[in-house]
Amino acid sequence: MKRFILILLMLFGVTEFLVAQVKRPTIMVVPSDVWCTTNGFMSEVENQGFKQLVPNYRLALQSDPILVSAITQINTLMADRGFPLKNLESVLKTIERNQAEAALLTSKTSGSSIQESPMDVLRRTARADIILSLTWTVNTTGPKKSVTYALQGLDAYTDVQIAGAQGTGTQSFSSEIPVLLEEAVSTHMDTFTEQLQNYFTELENYGRSVTIDIRVWDNGSGVDLESEYDGVELAEIIDNWMYDYTVGHVFNKSDASETHATYEQVQIPLYRTNGMGMDAEYFIRDLRKFLATPPYSLTSKVVPSGLGRALLIIGEK
């Protein structure tokens, strides 16, 4: 009997160890675009000459205490299940501290400015793997209230929906909205988090998808993607580099000319060799270093656009 108990304890210990070793995706909860539009928290910004409406998370957090409580409730449910969290309010403060420096970031040679959408900046700063987009509405039937919610898990690199949960909670006479929301969401949370974890495990095995843009500065240097090195065009050299360093050699060259190329569905490793997370910017930095070596000896600049897209401009820095 004692031996049987000992074996059970050992098995339990091994199980606990294996559970502890499972890597969890980092998440950040944000109010959905639908919620921000409905509640008047969208702002118009200009990006590269185009006007677009974007969620004003800072104003929403400052104006709606229920939103803060709702995000806190979802954060707690995720933390209870072992998922690392990035706090939206803290990330926004970091962005504000960095804004002045980012506004001055230009090409040292030509003065060209870097353009990123506010959402790109948010995601690059947060460096979360998954964005949880939260929408809810309050239903009133006489003195009773209930909450209908929708929770979407979005890949922070591609905006692809990877998990979803929705439903309506039970009616209540007295419960506050965040409590009603927690009760409604809790019903489906285990299935929802299982979907998130399965997707993240797939990323660990097969890599994550990003987009890489290649451009050539028009600075009179005479270098373009048709320039030859030892009889091989620069475009082909870059193709070969992509083949060597993508996971499973998977990438799609969707557009190309003598001055630009776009690589989509570029499968990059989930982590760098030092264990830190990999994104499009860090991935393409290695190409920049490669092109800086002989016989190419090319100067180039990496310009990130969120986590899932980066631009390499050859010819200047």
Side-chain angles (χ1 to χ4, degrees):
M1 184 65 180
K2 290 183 178 179
R3 184 178 180 182
F4 176 73
I5 294 175
L6 180 60
I7 292 173
L8 285 178
L9 290 174
M10 290 176 65
L11 289 174
F12 179 77
V14 170
T15 301
E16 288 293 300
F17 174 78
L18 291 175
V19 170
Q21 299 306 301
V22 174
K23 290 185 177 179
R24 301 286 194 185
T26 302
I27 67 166
M28 182 171 67
V29 181
V30 303
S32 71
D33 287 6
V34 171
W35 186 92
C36 289
T37 299
T38 302
N39 291 277
F41 296 119
M42 298 291 283
S43 299
E44 187 178 85
V45 300
E46 187 170 314
N47 185 34
Q48 294 180 305
F50 296 94
K51 292 182 178 180
Q52 61 181 137
L53 290 174
V54 298
N56 190 332
Y57 297 135
R58 168 57 67 198
L59 180 60
L61 291 171
Q62 291 175 340
S63 306
D64 193 329
I66 293 179
L67 170 63
V68 177
S69 297
I71 290 177
T72 300
Q73 294 283 19
I74 302 299
N75 281 345
T76 300
L77 289 173
M78 297 302 296
D80 288 345
R81 288 160 175 79
F83 286 82
L85 300 165
K86 292 296 181 74
N87 182 269
L88 175 60
E89 189 169 12
S90 300
V91 172
L92 291 174
K93 290 179 181 178
T94 299
I95 292 173
E96 290 169 359
R97 287 197 300 267
N98 295 338
Q99 258 182 342
E101 180 181 347
L104 298 175
L105 187 59
T106 61
S107 164
K108 296 176 183 177
T109 307
S110 67
S112 299
S113 61
I114 291 175
Q115 299 288 344
E116 281 187 292
S117 73
M119 182 57 75
D120 286 338
V121 175
L122 175 69
R123 295 183 180 187
R124 179 168 54 80
T125 305
R127 302 196 65 79
D129 297 298
I130 295 170
I131 302 295
L132 298 190
S133 178
L134 174 64
T135 304
W136 79 89
T137 55
V138 179
N139 312 305
T140 302
T141 304
K144 294 182 179 181
K145 290 182 179 180
S146 65
V147 168
T148 298
Y149 78 95
L151 191 62
Q152 292 177 299
L154 306 173
D155 186 319
Y157 289 65
T158 63
D159 268 342
V160 172
Q161 180 172 331
I162 57 170
Q166 58 186 356
T168 299
T170 56
Q171 294 182 332
S172 173
F173 286 103
S174 58
S175 294
E176 297 180 349
I177 301 306
V179 175
L180 291 175
L181 179 62
E182 180 187 9
E183 292 173 350
V185 172
S186 295
T187 305
H188 303 287
M189 186 55 71
D190 288 336
T191 300
F192 180 75
T193 54
E194 184 179 353
Q195 292 174 340
L196 297 181
Q197 187 62 52
N198 288 343
Y199 178 78
F200 189 70
T201 301
E202 186 174 329
L203 293 183
E204 288 187 299
N205 294 331
Y206 302 107
R208 72 182 350 140
S209 181
V210 300
T211 299
I212 301 296
D213 295 299
I214 308 292
R215 298 290 184 272
V216 179
W217 285 114
D218 183 15
N219 60 359
S221 67
V223 175
D224 60 30
L225 297 179
E226 293 182 345
S227 298
E228 293 190 4
Y229 298 87
D230 296 330
V232 182
E233 288 189 353
L234 181 57
E236 185 177 350
I237 291 168
I238 295 175
D239 287 348
N240 291 336
W241 186 92
M242 287 285 183
Y243 180 87
D244 290 337
Y245 289 95
T246 49
V247 177
H249 314 299
V250 176
F251 65 93
N252 175 37
K253 191 175 184 180
S254 60
D255 189 23
S257 73
E258 70 274 10
T259 59
H260 75 273
T262 298
Y263 297 86
E264 298 179 328
Q265 299 168 6
V266 179
Q267 295 299 113
I268 66 173
L270 200 60
Y271 301 105
R272 289 177 267 168
T273 54
N274 62 3
M276 296 178 66
M278 176 78 80
D279 62 14
E281 176 189 358
Y282 282 104
F283 178 74
I284 208 62
R285 280 183 182 180
D286 286 336
L287 175 58
R288 180 184 65 79
K289 294 175 184 177
F290 171 74
L291 295 177
T293 61
Y296 322 111
S297 302
L298 294 171
T299 301
S300 55
K301 182 182 186 69
V302 175
V303 182
S305 182
L307 293 171
R309 191 163 195 150
L311 167 65
L312 181 71
I313 309 175
I314 298 172
E316 292 181 4
K317 190 170 183 179

